[in-house]
Amino acid sequence: MKTLFNRVFDGSDEMFAKAEEEVNKIVAEVGRDAPLTLPSTAYFCACIYAYIGKKVTTTGELQDALADVKAMMLREPRTNSIFQSGVGTAIAAEMIEACKYVKTQTPYEGTHYHGHFTDAEVRELGVPLVTGDIPGFVVMIGPAPSTEEAVETIKGYQSRGIFVFLIGGIIEQAVEAGLSMSFPVRVVPVGEEIWSVGHVISLVVRAAMIFGAIQPGDVEGFHKYTFDRINAFVNAYKPVNDITVACGAGAIKLGFPVITNDHDDMWAVPKSLIIYDNTKDWIDTSIEARGIKLKITKIDIPVSFSSAFEGEIIRKGDMQVEIDGSRKDCFELVTTKDASEVEDHKIVVEGPEIDEIPVGSKISMSYTVEVAGKNMQPDFEPVFERKIHSFLNCVEGLMHTGQRDMIRVRISKADFEAGFKFRHIGEVLYAKIKSEFDTVVDKCQVRIVVGDEPNAALRKHANEVFDKRDERLKSMTDESVPVFYSCIMCQAFSPSHVCIVTPERLGLCGAVSWLDAKATNELNPNGPCQPIFKEGCTDERLGRYDSVNAAIADATHGAVENVTLYSLLEDPMTSCGCFECICGIEPMSMGVIVVNREFKGMTPVGMTFGELASCTGGGVQTPGYMGHGRHFISSKKFISAEGGLERIVWMPKELKDDVADRLNKTAKEMYGIDNFTDMIADETITTDGEELLNWLTEKGHPVLGLEPLM
Ligand code: SF4
Ligand code: ZN
């Protein structure tokens, strides 16, 4: 019988030996100078970078790091040593995986396995983590006792919003059962072999660097961050070999409990290593062990409801019916009524139900949510309405895109077979509006209308409502309101970050407008959004206010003391990690480029989105780089201190097309320029700084007439 200590040491020796073998093999093959890059990351081999502080960029540097890892693995019978060895094991795992990326950037192509996570994927987790839509992460290792149980447990986690990483035999089981797996649906088959766990740890340490601004080499900082802020845990099915035990020790050091049903030479450690035979109860056991609180709304529908399904895609061939706002009269609307006009939980469907409609039809539908409440305000209507997208998307087998009268909803055949009816759309809207906005909604009813004729008339009325709202929104400027709002929602992961949200500058995640912040504050006065009265304006051009600075200093506990609302260079607003876009200076033209998170290519400043993004974040102020929301691009206040929109010289095409209408309108209003976006370059024009300058000169871009930035 071996002690648990020895199992960890043997396991980490085994992992290290494998790493040494693989690294030496690749060096023998390609030499020490071969470049080593993992795809779309600015953090090198992130585990090595985080724990050892070294930037590995070549096979030779990877080979040199072997000695650093070896030094962590001290075979001493002390608790600290076993944890150290565990962390060393995780780094060795990353090294083994990194070797696969030397000769190709896509070693897992054509397999079920995901392998390396990009920085963009890490950043995508920001908002759902903050809102609690992803309450935690599970790493499931090894085959479950049966395929049925594997699927049941995975889906059990998924339906609770828990992000699932699969390693080893359980992937085959999931594939065999035809389970749909991908990053957007939050079930990721990471890799077949245990060392693929290196990718998961890489994601975790990057979250700490991106959101928490933990510095490379600050080992204790990483441990504290993961322990306090990343709700992860491990489920390891028996038989658990030594190498997995060593990985488990690493997980425990990071603060992630391990749950297993293997008794062989295994000792339970309270709260950390839990031996539990009934694998069918692991979900509850695990969630309790990590102290995870779940956000649950009971909804009376025949299919699952979880934020994990927001990323689901329903293909044409899989759809039963489609509510198609691009060809038919469709809309969604939230409207306030008098209490006497609303019967709580009344859901009516006027027109045919789903089973009376031929399969594959494109139909016209509207759903109107009528709410009443003493504290309800019409300003909340658009706030609730924009949440409908995420509410309906959480239904398994249903896909929702768009908003207002440009919606498209696909209901899958699988949902139809499970008994899903149009009425259930009403059930979802009712349950979510009532639970999320309970402080202002006393009563809620939903009216669903199906059919071309009635909706043509109804849509006209809805459009009048939308137009009126837009008018009101347009009249709201930073000058016209007495308060701004702070948002500290992201402090769960970026402890020194605060967004200041104004009518003309939404939060950098793109999800919190001034109206949203106002509603959040009124719904929950002690919550994450607090009013900041506009007082003590010391510089109008920069947007510098004493009251804003005081609020920032208070909310960051002194970490940040001065921010401006409109400048990129002087005390710019901080960024967490979940910004939709980043802007940065383009030195040749003295303009700025704006890059969105989805863009994977190169930019004229020689950096990708990920590399630009790594220049800021974690609540740190970095003059010259700033994260912001997509909508901010067409704001009159966009870096207005530096000349505003006229500075924009380059954007990825998709982003440019997306914001073109609004941006062109603002540019026309402010500078009298027609079709401004025609003067902004994109990747189809050039990604070279010099070429860009020539092109801008040719186009007569206004930036060339502005004062130099620095
Ligand atoms: Fe985070 Fe800012 Fe968005 Fe609030 S507004 S959720 S702090 S990014
Ligand atoms: Zn954030």
Side-chain angles (χ1 to χ4, degrees), residues 123 126-127 130 211 489-491 493-494 497 499 508-509 575-579:
R123 288 175 190 281
V127 174
V130 165
F211 300 114
M489 226 156 347
C490 283
Q491 287 199 350
F493 297 93
S494 291
H497 172 71
C499 276
L508 56 85
C509 57
S575 302
C576 44
C578 51
F579 38 88

mmCIF file of all heavy atoms in Angstrom, residues 123 126-127 130 211 489-491 493-494 497 499 508-509 575-579, ligand 2:
data_model
loop_
_atom_site.group_PDB
_atom_site.id
_atom_site.type_symbol
_atom_site.label_atom_id
_atom_site.label_comp_id
_atom_site.label_asym_id
_atom_site.label_seq_id
_atom_site.Cartn_x
_atom_site.Cartn_y
_atom_site.Cartn_z
ATOM 1 N N ARG A 123 -11.824 35.329 -22.529
ATOM 2 C CA ARG A 123 -12.520 36.599 -22.318
ATOM 3 C C ARG A 123 -14.028 36.474 -22.421
ATOM 4 O O ARG A 123 -14.762 37.183 -21.744
ATOM 5 C CB ARG A 123 -12.027 37.640 -23.327
ATOM 6 C CG ARG A 123 -10.639 38.125 -23.029
ATOM 7 C CD ARG A 123 -10.095 39.062 -24.088
ATOM 8 N NE ARG A 123 -8.681 39.293 -23.856
ATOM 9 C CZ ARG A 123 -8.200 40.132 -22.955
ATOM 10 N NH1 ARG A 123 -9.031 40.861 -22.236
ATOM 11 N NH2 ARG A 123 -6.904 40.255 -22.761
ATOM 12 N N GLY A 126 -16.044 36.164 -19.271
ATOM 13 C CA GLY A 126 -16.144 37.261 -18.318
ATOM 14 C C GLY A 126 -17.558 37.598 -17.874
ATOM 15 O O GLY A 126 -17.892 37.491 -16.695
ATOM 16 N N VAL A 127 -18.399 37.973 -18.829
ATOM 17 C CA VAL A 127 -19.738 38.425 -18.468
ATOM 18 C C VAL A 127 -20.577 37.322 -17.799
ATOM 19 O O VAL A 127 -21.131 37.539 -16.725
ATOM 20 C CB VAL A 127 -20.468 39.058 -19.672
ATOM 21 C CG1 VAL A 127 -21.904 39.394 -19.317
ATOM 22 C CG2 VAL A 127 -19.732 40.320 -20.117
ATOM 23 N N VAL A 130 -19.580 36.877 -14.262
ATOM 24 C CA VAL A 130 -19.973 37.986 -13.408
ATOM 25 C C VAL A 130 -21.449 37.918 -13.045
ATOM 26 O O VAL A 130 -21.854 38.136 -11.913
ATOM 27 C CB VAL A 130 -19.663 39.316 -14.136
ATOM 28 C CG1 VAL A 130 -20.377 40.464 -13.468
ATOM 29 C CG2 VAL A 130 -18.172 39.563 -14.146
ATOM 30 N N PHE A 211 -8.399 39.071 -16.033
ATOM 31 C CA PHE A 211 -9.420 39.750 -15.233
ATOM 32 C C PHE A 211 -8.866 40.276 -13.911
ATOM 33 O O PHE A 211 -9.374 41.239 -13.353
ATOM 34 C CB PHE A 211 -10.605 38.820 -14.942
ATOM 35 C CG PHE A 211 -11.299 38.329 -16.176
ATOM 36 C CD1 PHE A 211 -11.270 36.986 -16.536
ATOM 37 C CD2 PHE A 211 -11.985 39.208 -16.997
ATOM 38 C CE1 PHE A 211 -11.907 36.530 -17.685
ATOM 39 C CE2 PHE A 211 -12.634 38.768 -18.150
ATOM 40 C CZ PHE A 211 -12.589 37.430 -18.488
ATOM 41 N N MET A 489 -20.029 45.352 -11.287
ATOM 42 C CA MET A 489 -20.340 43.940 -11.437
ATOM 43 C C MET A 489 -19.089 43.100 -11.688
ATOM 44 O O MET A 489 -18.970 41.986 -11.216
ATOM 45 C CB MET A 489 -21.324 43.763 -12.569
ATOM 46 C CG MET A 489 -22.401 42.859 -12.132
ATOM 47 S SD MET A 489 -23.973 42.910 -12.897
ATOM 48 C CE MET A 489 -24.249 44.244 -13.862
ATOM 49 N N CYS A 490 -18.144 43.644 -12.438
ATOM 50 C CA CYS A 490 -16.971 42.852 -12.795
ATOM 51 C C CYS A 490 -15.948 42.728 -11.674
ATOM 52 O O CYS A 490 -14.933 42.065 -11.835
ATOM 53 C CB CYS A 490 -16.328 43.409 -14.049
ATOM 54 S SG CYS A 490 -17.262 42.921 -15.497
ATOM 55 N N GLN A 491 -16.215 43.369 -10.545
ATOM 56 C CA GLN A 491 -15.237 43.264 -9.451
ATOM 57 C C GLN A 491 -15.106 41.856 -8.905
ATOM 58 O O GLN A 491 -14.114 41.532 -8.263
ATOM 59 C CB GLN A 491 -15.567 44.257 -8.346
ATOM 60 C CG GLN A 491 -15.238 45.680 -8.766
ATOM 61 C CD GLN A 491 -15.108 46.642 -7.616
ATOM 62 O OE1 GLN A 491 -15.431 46.314 -6.474
ATOM 63 N NE2 GLN A 491 -14.643 47.836 -7.908
ATOM 64 N N PHE A 493 -14.299 39.506 -10.523
ATOM 65 C CA PHE A 493 -13.105 38.967 -11.167
ATOM 66 C C PHE A 493 -12.013 40.001 -11.372
ATOM 67 O O PHE A 493 -10.850 39.655 -11.504
ATOM 68 C CB PHE A 493 -13.481 38.301 -12.498
ATOM 69 C CG PHE A 493 -14.377 37.145 -12.252
ATOM 70 C CD1 PHE A 493 -15.742 37.289 -12.289
ATOM 71 C CD2 PHE A 493 -13.849 35.930 -11.861
ATOM 72 C CE1 PHE A 493 -16.580 36.238 -11.977
ATOM 73 C CE2 PHE A 493 -14.663 34.868 -11.539
ATOM 74 C CZ PHE A 493 -16.036 35.020 -11.606
ATOM 75 N N SER A 494 -12.395 41.261 -11.448
ATOM 76 C CA SER A 494 -11.425 42.342 -11.599
ATOM 77 C C SER A 494 -11.610 43.309 -10.438
ATOM 78 O O SER A 494 -12.303 44.315 -10.572
ATOM 79 C CB SER A 494 -11.664 43.095 -12.907
ATOM 80 O OG SER A 494 -11.352 42.296 -13.993
ATOM 81 N N HIS A 497 -11.661 47.177 -10.867
ATOM 82 C CA HIS A 497 -12.291 47.781 -12.047
ATOM 83 C C HIS A 497 -13.693 48.333 -11.745
ATOM 84 O O HIS A 497 -14.486 47.710 -11.066
ATOM 85 C CB HIS A 497 -12.409 46.779 -13.183
ATOM 86 C CG HIS A 497 -13.211 47.315 -14.330
ATOM 87 N ND1 HIS A 497 -12.741 48.305 -15.155
ATOM 88 C CD2 HIS A 497 -14.471 47.054 -14.745
ATOM 89 C CE1 HIS A 497 -13.677 48.616 -16.035
ATOM 90 N NE2 HIS A 497 -14.736 47.879 -15.810
ATOM 91 N N CYS A 499 -16.794 50.505 -14.077
ATOM 92 C CA CYS A 499 -17.212 51.226 -15.278
ATOM 93 C C CYS A 499 -18.023 52.433 -14.835
ATOM 94 O O CYS A 499 -18.830 52.329 -13.918
ATOM 95 C CB CYS A 499 -18.110 50.358 -16.165
ATOM 96 S SG CYS A 499 -17.232 49.241 -17.269
ATOM 97 N N LEU A 508 -18.249 48.780 -20.879
ATOM 98 C CA LEU A 508 -17.402 48.225 -21.921
ATOM 99 C C LEU A 508 -17.807 46.829 -22.360
ATOM 100 O O LEU A 508 -17.443 46.370 -23.428
ATOM 101 C CB LEU A 508 -15.934 48.278 -21.480
ATOM 102 C CG LEU A 508 -15.564 47.615 -20.169
ATOM 103 C CD1 LEU A 508 -15.316 46.143 -20.376
ATOM 104 C CD2 LEU A 508 -14.289 48.264 -19.640
ATOM 105 N N CYS A 509 -18.602 46.135 -21.551
ATOM 106 C CA CYS A 509 -19.068 44.807 -21.939
ATOM 107 C C CYS A 509 -20.155 44.905 -22.992
ATOM 108 O O CYS A 509 -20.536 43.919 -23.605
ATOM 109 C CB CYS A 509 -19.614 44.064 -20.732
ATOM 110 S SG CYS A 509 -20.947 44.964 -19.919
ATOM 111 N N SER A 575 -10.157 48.973 -17.669
ATOM 112 C CA SER A 575 -10.847 47.883 -18.341
ATOM 113 C C SER A 575 -10.772 46.657 -17.444
ATOM 114 O O SER A 575 -9.799 46.482 -16.723
ATOM 115 C CB SER A 575 -10.162 47.551 -19.666
ATOM 116 O OG SER A 575 -10.122 48.684 -20.501
ATOM 117 N N CYS A 576 -11.823 45.841 -17.491
ATOM 118 C CA CYS A 576 -11.726 44.540 -16.814
ATOM 119 C C CYS A 576 -11.171 43.592 -17.861
ATOM 120 O O CYS A 576 -10.079 43.799 -18.345
ATOM 121 C CB CYS A 576 -13.077 44.109 -16.278
ATOM 122 S SG CYS A 576 -14.409 44.377 -17.440
ATOM 123 N N GLY A 577 -11.895 42.581 -18.234
ATOM 124 C CA GLY A 577 -11.386 41.736 -19.305
ATOM 125 C C GLY A 577 -12.432 41.468 -20.363
ATOM 126 O O GLY A 577 -12.147 40.886 -21.392
ATOM 127 N N CYS A 578 -13.664 41.923 -20.116
ATOM 128 C CA CYS A 578 -14.732 41.450 -21.000
ATOM 129 C C CYS A 578 -15.171 42.479 -22.025
ATOM 130 O O CYS A 578 -16.274 42.415 -22.526
ATOM 131 C CB CYS A 578 -15.902 40.941 -20.181
ATOM 132 S SG CYS A 578 -16.495 42.058 -18.927
ATOM 133 N N PHE A 579 -14.295 43.436 -22.328
ATOM 134 C CA PHE A 579 -14.678 44.448 -23.302
ATOM 135 C C PHE A 579 -14.977 43.855 -24.677
ATOM 136 O O PHE A 579 -14.337 42.932 -25.118
ATOM 137 C CB PHE A 579 -13.618 45.544 -23.427
ATOM 138 C CG PHE A 579 -12.191 45.073 -23.345
ATOM 139 C CD1 PHE A 579 -11.529 44.663 -24.479
ATOM 140 C CD2 PHE A 579 -11.524 45.046 -22.122
ATOM 141 C CE1 PHE A 579 -10.205 44.244 -24.401
ATOM 142 C CE2 PHE A 579 -10.202 44.625 -22.037
ATOM 143 C CZ PHE A 579 -9.540 44.216 -23.178
HETATM 144 ZN ZN ZN B 2 -15.952 42.863 -17.157
#
